[in-house]
Amino acid sequence: MACEGILLGMGNPLLDISAVVDDDFLQKYDIKLNNAILAEDKHLPMYDEMASKGNVDYIAGGATQNSIRVAQWMLQIPGATSYMGSIGKDKFGEEMKKNSTEAGVNVHYYEDEAAPTGTCAVCVVGGERSLIANLSAANCYKSEHLKRPENWKLVEKAKYFYIAGFFLTVSPESIMLVAEHAAANNKVFMMNLSAPFICEFFKDVQEKALPYMDYVFGNETEARTFAKVHGWETENVEEIALKISQWPKASGAHKRITVITQGSDPVVVAEDGKVKLFPVILLPKEKLVDTNGAGDAFVGGFLSQLVQEKPIEDCVKAGCYAANVIIQRSGCTYPEKPDFK
């Protein structure tokens, strides 16, 4: 059984501002679908423009927090998961705390005095999404918060750690503290490639953390970008997954497993020099609401079984189940109880 505090996540807690937009809006702000970027000055007016739309949803988000909340929902064991990140002292921050606590996650936020809680614009067109993150307070996380005894206790208690690649832009030192603790104590450390820009522009910090990763998650676009950045002359996702799994490791306690999702195409799992493909649950187009949070939900479902030491087939099945539930709803939200068998 998964016990209290078994899974710890660290990342950028963001409030998703989600709205259905049109192609003109995408062009106006120079946005590509199925991408995730950090906001530049040219994007800043869009947050107010989206907030003024009639059909806007506010949902607690941030990639790691989404995955942790989904894992918590799948496990249905109060406090099985914990989460750390930085929010502002404002109404969005309060909303986030309330949201996560109600979801059963044990949150230890660092509260920044000056910066507002981070937001993420989720632009939805035809069910596909594009994410533009304005990190604000999320960018202010410091490893000093992690080292405080009441927070480090969460690290000592956890046996599994999951951190999205997005956190590499904020606090690589916090990531390395947890990675080194995991390697020294035979625990499981996991990260996500998260976005093409992480693989391209945060290559050095990503490479520094990679030897510690026991599981690497990502999607096909991120995997191909990773390969390109490292001069691997291949676009073949199976080959790339295999090469990532064979990257040298800091600790020999666990082999590395690479898990790459490909939308409606099969999930690629590379381990022990072999690749396995797992079909996903196909959804009729008319049932698709939006793909926001699909990858995060997949990881959350996967982790919910992994922390119970279930075989990889079950982990992937649970990941596909959770992703299938989430894409039929707005944002990374879910019904009261899972019915995963």
Side-chain angles (χ1 to χ4, degrees):
M1 278 300 285
C3 55
E4 196 191 326
I6 192 164
L7 172 63
L8 171 64
M10 289 168 72
N12 302 334
L14 303 172
L15 191 77
D16 282 354
I17 302 173
S18 179
V20 173
V21 299
D22 54 23
D23 289 329
D24 292 345
F25 186 92
L26 297 184
Q27 273 176 323
K28 177 177 173 183
Y29 291 108
D30 189 23
I31 300 164
K32 292 186 187 73
L33 278 179
N34 289 321
N35 201 6
I37 58 170
L38 294 177
E40 296 169 38
D41 290 344
K42 66 179 179 188
H43 298 117
L44 297 180
M46 70 187 275
Y47 294 88
D48 285 338
E49 189 176 331
M50 287 176 75
S52 69
K53 286 182 184 292
N55 60 345
V56 66
D57 286 324
Y58 294 91
I59 305 156
T64 308
Q65 187 163 247
N66 284 343
S67 295
I68 295 296
R69 279 174 52 231
V70 169
Q72 179 62 49
W73 170 68
M74 291 281 287
L75 284 163
Q76 294 285 311
I77 300 161
T81 63
S82 311
Y83 175 80
M84 284 188 249
S86 175
I87 58 174
K89 290 197 161 179
D90 52 22
K91 72 172 198 310
F92 282 171
E94 285 307 313
E95 190 60 31
M96 191 97 74
K97 259 193 278 194
K98 187 169 137 270
N99 221 299
S100 300
T101 309
E102 280 171 2
V105 180
N106 178 14
V107 288
H108 282 218
Y109 293 122
Y110 167 72
E111 294 183 42
D112 191 78
E113 298 288 341
T117 295
T119 49
C120 182
V122 181
C123 305
V124 180
V125 179
E128 305 290 345
R129 60 85 178 135
S130 189
L131 309 175
I132 303 91
N134 186 11
L135 296 181
S136 299
N139 207 21
C140 302
Y141 192 84
K142 304 279 183 289
S143 57
E144 289 70 50
H145 177 261
L146 173 64
K147 290 175 190 164
R148 282 186 207 155
E150 68 273 23
N151 298 328
W152 190 253
K153 210 154 68 192
L154 296 181
V155 177
E156 291 184 326
K157 202 172 191 180
K159 294 192 175 78
Y160 296 83
F161 303 97
Y162 175 69
I163 303 175
F166 294 119
F167 202 52
L168 287 164
T169 75
V170 172
S171 188
E173 49 287 84
S174 299
I175 294 176
M176 293 314 294
L177 282 169
V178 172
E180 285 161 5
H181 166 86
N185 294 278
N186 200 1
K187 295 178 175 184
V188 178
F189 180 76
M190 303 170 277
M191 286 193 75
N192 202 310
L193 299 176
S194 287
F197 86 88
I198 299 288
C199 304
E200 287 175 293
F201 305 116
F202 294 86
K203 174 174 179 263
D204 295 350
V205 279
Q206 190 181 53
E207 275 184 16
K208 206 174 156 195
L210 191 58
Y212 293 90
M213 297 179 204
D214 299 307
Y215 285 79
V216 176
F217 295 94
N219 68 25
E220 74 280 37
T221 317
E222 295 148 10
R224 288 187 178 120
T225 306
F226 185 92
K228 196 171 108 194
V229 166
H230 290 91
W232 299 347
E233 308 225 323
T234 178
E235 290 256 304
N236 181 308
V237 175
E238 293 174 42
E239 211 177 306
I240 297 164
L242 207 50
K243 282 178 89 105
I244 294 173
S245 73
Q246 290 162 342
W247 194 285
K249 284 206 80 220
S251 133
H254 306 282
K255 58 190 176 184
R256 182 180 301 109
I257 297 176
T258 314
V259 184
I260 306 293
T261 58
Q262 311 186 85
S264 56
D265 290 330
V267 178
V268 176
V269 176
E271 65 172 312
D272 287 335
K274 291 192 275 300
V275 172
K276 281 188 188 151
L277 297 177
F278 296 92
V280 303
I281 309 160
L282 293 175
L283 187 72
K285 187 86 174 133
E286 64 276 10
K287 283 194 163 179
L288 173 71
V289 174
D290 73 54
T291 55
N292 178 29
D296 303 335
F298 174 85
V299 173
F302 188 102
L303 296 178
S304 73
Q305 304 307 297
L306 185 69
V307 302
Q308 300 180 74
E309 299 180 6
K310 296 279 172 70
I312 197 112
E313 292 78 8
D314 293 0
C315 297
V316 174
K317 260 189 202 137
C320 292
Y321 163 79
N324 185 266
V325 168
I326 263 84
I327 61 175
Q328 295 183 63
R329 304 166 68 92
S330 174
C332 196
T333 61
Y334 37 77
E336 196 188 338
K337 291 266 195 310
D339 61 358
F340 173 67
K341 303 288 178 286

